[in-house]
Amino acid sequence: MSEAVITTDKLTKRFGDFVAVSEISFEVDKGEIFGFLGANGAGKTTAMRMLCGLSIPSSGKATIAGFDVYKQTEQIKKNIGYMSQKFSLYEDLTVLENIRFFGGIYGLTDKQIKTKSDQLINQLGLQQEVKKLVVSLPLGWKQKLSFSVAVLHEPKIVFLDEPTGGVDPVTRRQFWDLIYDAADRGVTIFVTTHYMDEAEYCNRISIMVDGVIKALDTPRKLKDNFHAANMDEVFYELARGAKRSE
Amino acid sequence: MRTIKFLLQKEFRQIFRNRAIVAMVIAMPVIQLIILPLAANYEVKNVNVAVIDKDHSSYSQKLINKIIASGYFKLTGYDFSFKQAYRLIESDAADLILEIPQGFERNLIRENEQKLFVAVNAINGTKANLGSAYLLTVIQDFNRDVRLQFIQPGNFNQQPTIDVASSNWYNPLLDYHMYMVPGILAILVTMIGGFLTALNIVKEKEVGTIEQINVTPIKKYHFILGKLIPFWILGNVVFTLGLLVARLVYGIIPVGSLFLMYGFIAVYLLAVLGLGLLISTFCETQQQAMFVMFFFVMIFVLMGGLFTSIDSMPDWAKTVTKFNPVSYLIEVMRMIMLKGSSLKNILPQLGIIAVFALVLNSLAIFNYKKTS
């Protein structure tokens, strides 16, 4: 029996006259890898920020891990991890210092931080880099590190905003291995991406165009519905009608 | 408490890895306190005076010698026409022209009266004002000497004179360093504390790390305290360095209690850092924060009572200085350092600064939004 950890009902965000996100409704189940696709400017990041409690919606309803996005943003924050588009660990701290810092402010005990960081460093193969400043790491490693930091406190849901932007295919593949690992542990993954091959890795995907969700299904069914050979064609079919772009 | 521990650890690591900040905190107070009090001196020296002596008498020579001997004046020209002297003023080579008319000595002896002409270059207002005032004093002095010579023994018919003997309390030698050093230290503490905090949160916004913080369950006041405490400590370091320089370089040993001074600085820093934090919650970029902070610091410094006395400001300006924390710090620093004031004396200022600290920090916490 699956249980929904994210539910939204006509969730909307307006900035003045501009409707960034218009009445989106969907559910995401526990342990699911949910792909959130859309062209630039379609409203993905805005939608995600509302779900993370970083931005208050203009109207509509949403609950994350059972908490309300209007009133319980701080409870939501205890239960989610977030990795933004822009790399946002402290570049002037070392790998280990970043891990300890974020572990600490999520309230992990010293013992937990110790085991978690050992585990994480082994998993990422960062033994040599532990004492290096994060600024000196290559982009791919930074991305893997920030994902690992985002799931450090064992959140119920982790939100990833274009986590593999600018990363080579091999590193992307490794990154997705990390995502699968987390999903196997029962973490729900909510991920935005521009790479259609990555979309195929998701259990279900939604495609957003101009602030509206135009399609939502498994990759296979979407391809069947649009009589498309691959996700690229599906995306192109939907997104070419877009009026907004960055 | 644990959260704050982690925040402080992070903040201190970042500060000590930033060479520019460490250099600022150590070098700025030391260098500025050594340079500024020596240069920023109210005494006007080297006033350039051009003398047009049309009399060429022993009395006119005596007067000129007396003027030069005072130590405040430099003779840039002597003995030419008014036109030539005027040209000196135009080219800024002279600040004052003193014209000694023909018949100076004769009139002085025979008529007991003679007028002198002084022209002042008022482009540099302070120098001109003080320079002409000095010159007049010297001439009056000369006048008295002359009069004494004229008095016949036994003739007491001269004008009675009142001689005022003043003594300067708390700074008996009117040493400008005593006056400037506490004030400059006050400004340094304000600038370093204010700028560092104003730029800090904004930097996190620019880099994007604040987003990662905002998505954690961290409490707003934890975050603000995590920013406040490190810079509060740095502010105290700056202040301590300043006191050391004051003692080692200028030999200024505070008359009042050191403990009281640190007590006041402790509260004062909270106020200034609160302002910095408040500004950084409003601004999006370091550039904006820098400009806004500059706006305040300029007013704070120029209206703080260091360079111009608050007592001589117009009423509206006096009202403005009431909202200037620097004016209270400068006042209190001078009170404690020079006069040895006790807690009871500085209680009003302490109370006002405490209100500043409370209001500014509350506003900063209120205005820092984790959710927009």
Side-chain angles (χ1 to χ4, degrees):
Chain A
M1 198 40 209
S2 61
E3 52 169 316
V5 287
I6 302 175
T7 56
T8 72
D9 183 17
K10 295 190 173 166
L11 195 66
T12 302
K13 180 78 183 186
R14 279 182 220 98
F15 297 105
D17 290 338
F18 178 72
V19 187
V21 175
S22 174
E23 303 198 338
I24 56 171
S25 306
F26 59 90
E27 288 189 353
V28 180
D29 291 336
K30 185 173 188 297
E32 199 176 5
I33 301 177
F34 188 83
F36 202 58
L37 275 58
N40 290 332
K44 301 186 304 284
T45 301
T46 310
M48 190 178 252
R49 286 174 56 87
M50 285 193 281
L51 302 180
C52 292
L54 286 174
S55 170
I56 296 286
S58 306
S59 63
K61 280 187 229 156
T63 56
I64 310 297
F67 296 108
D68 181 58
V69 287
Y70 289 94
K71 290 180 196 130
Q72 297 171 301
T73 53
E74 295 309 294
Q75 280 98 321
I76 289 175
K77 286 169 186 175
K78 276 187 196 139
N79 289 287
I80 61 164
Y82 173 71
M83 179 180 164
S84 79
Q85 249 174 36
K86 210 166 154 188
F87 178 73
S88 48
L89 296 186
Y90 289 97
E91 296 205 318
D92 48 358
L93 295 183
T94 67
V95 172
L96 194 60
E97 285 163 0
N98 265 297
I99 298 171
R100 282 193 186 143
F101 172 68
F102 283 103
I105 60 173
Y106 274 109
L108 303 188
T109 63
D110 287 339
K111 211 177 145 198
Q112 281 172 323
I113 293 174
K114 177 88 180 73
T115 33
K116 281 279 175 192
S117 50
D118 287 348
Q119 193 185 331
L120 193 158
I121 286 157
N122 283 325
Q123 191 183 15
L124 297 181
L126 282 173
Q127 289 90 341
Q128 304 293 315
E129 278 73 24
V130 165
K131 294 230 160 67
K132 278 193 190 158
L133 295 187
V134 167
V135 69
S136 65
L137 294 185
L139 182 65
W141 286 17
K142 281 186 188 171
Q143 306 285 65
K144 285 190 272 183
L145 179 65
S146 58
F147 174 78
S148 306
V149 169
V151 295
L152 193 68
H153 58 292
E154 302 271 319
K156 291 198 175 116
I157 310 155
V158 61
F159 291 89
L160 311 171
D161 196 359
E162 290 179 27
T164 54
V167 168
D168 67 74
V170 177
T171 314
R172 263 168 55 200
R173 200 49 197 263
Q174 294 167 344
F175 194 92
W176 274 88
D177 287 341
L178 291 175
I179 292 180
Y180 276 115
D181 271 359
D184 286 345
R185 295 198 303 270
V187 179
T188 307
I189 314 282
F190 188 99
V191 56
T192 73
T193 180
H194 283 305
Y195 298 105
M196 289 307 136
D197 58 327
E198 287 187 351
E200 308 255 9
Y201 299 150
C202 300
N203 299 129
R204 277 195 307 151
I205 53 179
S206 75
I207 299 181
M208 233 179 140
V209 178
D210 290 349
V212 181
I213 292 184
K214 285 273 181 170
L216 196 168
D217 218 323
T218 62
R220 177 183 295 268
K221 279 195 185 151
L222 280 177
K223 279 185 285 189
D224 288 348
N225 290 348
F226 286 87
H227 308 291
N230 53 39
M231 281 307 300
D232 264 347
E233 287 177 21
V234 177
F235 185 80
Y236 183 72
E237 191 63 36
L238 285 164
R240 71 174 168 189
K243 293 181 185 65
R244 299 197 315 226
S245 62
E246 258 177 338
Chain B
M1 263 335 276
R2 237 176 96 76
T3 313
I4 293 196
K5 185 194 103 183
F6 280 103
L7 282 168
L8 292 184
Q9 210 173 36
K10 157 200 165 268
E11 213 63 55
F12 273 116
R13 280 190 176 127
Q14 290 183 303
I15 290 170
F16 285 117
R17 277 185 196 145
N18 191 334
R19 295 240 174 92
I21 291 187
V22 178
M24 267 252 286
V25 167
I26 294 171
M28 193 161 140
V30 173
I31 295 176
Q32 298 208 349
L33 267 178
I34 290 175
I35 294 175
L36 292 180
L38 295 176
N41 194 322
Y42 289 141
E43 271 189 313
V44 171
K45 279 183 182 158
N46 306 326
V47 179
N48 298 310
V49 58
V51 178
I52 307 167
D53 186 357
K54 290 185 176 156
D55 198 41
H56 294 287
S57 59
S58 65
Y59 267 121
S60 74
Q61 282 302 326
K62 253 188 208 162
L63 176 60
I64 294 165
N65 283 340
K66 197 173 170 73
I67 289 167
I68 306 302
S70 71
Y72 292 104
F73 298 97
K74 265 196 343 211
L75 194 64
T76 47
Y78 173 68
D79 209 16
F80 32 42
S81 70
F82 190 81
K83 252 189 189 158
Q84 283 170 306
Y86 185 69
R87 223 167 278 140
L88 279 181
I89 279 205
E90 276 194 323
S91 62
D92 263 342
D95 302 305
L96 294 174
I97 301 176
L98 172 67
E99 189 180 357
I100 303 173
Q102 218 170 356
F104 174 69
E105 188 178 73
R106 193 188 58 224
N107 290 344
L108 207 58
I109 294 170
R110 291 204 189 140
E111 323 264 331
N112 260 338
E113 192 183 305
Q114 175 57 49
K115 287 207 162 70
L116 289 171
F117 177 72
V118 176
V120 180
N121 175 5
I123 293 269
N124 184 344
T126 319
K127 205 174 179 185
N129 258 330
L130 284 174
S132 65
Y134 289 167
L135 190 63
L136 292 182
T137 317
V138 175
I139 294 171
Q140 266 170 20
D141 213 30
F142 176 78
N143 197 2
R144 204 162 14 170
D145 290 350
V146 171
R147 209 182 283 157
L148 273 175
Q149 284 179 9
F150 289 173
I151 298 164
Q152 308 294 319
N155 182 356
F156 288 101
N157 201 12
Q158 92 252 42
Q159 292 160 328
T161 51
I162 297 174
D163 209 12
V164 179
S166 58
S167 74
N168 301 298
W169 282 25
Y170 310 122
N171 188 357
L173 299 175
L174 276 184
D175 181 354
Y176 280 102
H177 301 151
M178 296 276 273
Y179 180 76
M180 292 302 285
V181 170
I184 290 173
L185 181 53
I187 287 174
L188 278 173
V189 168
T190 310
M191 283 194 31
I192 294 179
F195 272 108
L196 285 182
T197 39
L199 293 179
N200 188 281
I201 293 185
V202 180
K203 189 189 164 201
E204 292 221 20
K205 281 188 194 171
E206 271 186 3
V207 180
T209 47
I210 199 144
E211 187 104 327
Q212 202 66 46
I213 294 282
N214 287 345
V215 83
T216 68
I218 195 169
K219 300 231 170 18
K220 278 177 18 168
Y221 72 89
H222 280 160
F223 183 73
I224 294 284
L225 274 178
K227 295 288 178 192
L228 200 62
I229 295 170
F231 294 111
W232 184 85
I233 293 174
L234 284 190
N236 275 298
V237 169
V238 170
F239 183 65
T240 309
L241 280 172
L243 287 183
L244 283 175
V245 172
R247 186 177 192 135
L248 297 176
V249 179
Y250 300 102
I252 300 176
I253 298 167
V255 182
S257 136
L258 262 183
F259 181 73
L260 192 59
M261 277 181 25
Y262 275 100
F264 190 82
I265 279 289
V267 182
Y268 177 80
L269 277 170
L270 291 181
V272 173
L273 302 187
L275 177 70
L277 290 175
L278 181 61
I279 288 173
S280 71
T281 60
F282 274 109
C283 296
E284 291 304 318
T285 65
Q286 296 192 59
Q287 206 176 26
Q288 285 174 1
M290 193 88 171
F291 273 116
V292 177
M293 198 66 206
F294 253 123
F295 170 78
F296 284 105
V297 164
M298 283 291 272
I299 294 177
F300 286 174
V301 169
L302 293 178
M303 296 186 76
L306 178 61
F307 298 111
T308 41
S309 165
I310 292 175
D311 293 326
S312 55
M313 288 180 190
D315 283 340
W316 64 264
K318 279 185 196 165
T319 315
V320 174
T321 64
K322 294 224 175 3
F323 296 93
N324 178 359
V326 178
S327 71
Y328 297 100
L329 179 62
I330 291 178
E331 195 183 347
V332 168
M333 290 268 275
R334 285 180 180 153
M335 282 168 79
I336 302 177
M337 279 181 98
L338 307 183
K339 200 167 156 186
S341 300
S342 65
L343 177 63
K344 210 176 80 190
N345 304 116
I346 65 157
L347 218 47
Q349 286 90 340
L350 190 64
I352 292 167
I353 290 297
V355 173
F356 269 112
L358 198 68
V359 170
L360 289 168
N361 285 295
S362 308
L363 282 176
I365 293 175
F366 173 77
N367 198 50
Y368 163 47
K369 296 212 164 49
K370 283 181 73 184
T371 303
S372 57

